[in-house]
Amino acid sequence: MISIKQNENFSNWYQVFSFGKLIDELNKKSKALRLAKDIARNQNFNYINVQGVAVAIKKPVFQK
């Protein structure tokens, strides 16, 4: 499971976890979401956990 948690000590930092392992810590929630979505797409997950809430990941649609 891919998760995003807010840092307990620094409220403007967000931590991205993959299966309990810290992947990166970013200073904007939008950057953390982008990283988590990229990881989830690469591992074929449909959802990520954002601060305790399951968020669906949209698959990219490629046009010909």
Side-chain angles (χ1 to χ4, degrees):
M1 180 61 131
I2 312 301
S3 341
I4 298 175
K5 297 180 182 178
Q6 194 169 14
N7 188 313
E8 295 176 3
N9 296 320
F10 302 102
S11 61
N12 61 332
W13 286 89
Y14 295 89
Q15 301 169 325
V16 179
F17 291 90
S18 177
F19 295 101
K21 182 179 175 186
L22 178 65
I23 301 298
D24 203 356
E25 193 166 34
L26 303 155
N27 64 345
K28 292 188 179 183
K29 190 174 182 178
S30 60
K31 289 181 182 180
L33 281 168
R34 189 177 320 133
L35 176 62
K37 286 179 181 181
D38 288 342
I39 294 169
R41 285 186 188 116
N42 288 337
Q43 296 182 0
N44 294 323
F45 289 129
N46 295 325
Y47 295 92
I48 59 173
N49 180 351
V50 180
Q51 297 179 325
V53 178
V55 176
I57 300 298
K58 292 183 181 179
K59 300 289 181 180
V61 177
F62 298 103
Q63 296 177 347
K64 293 182 179 180

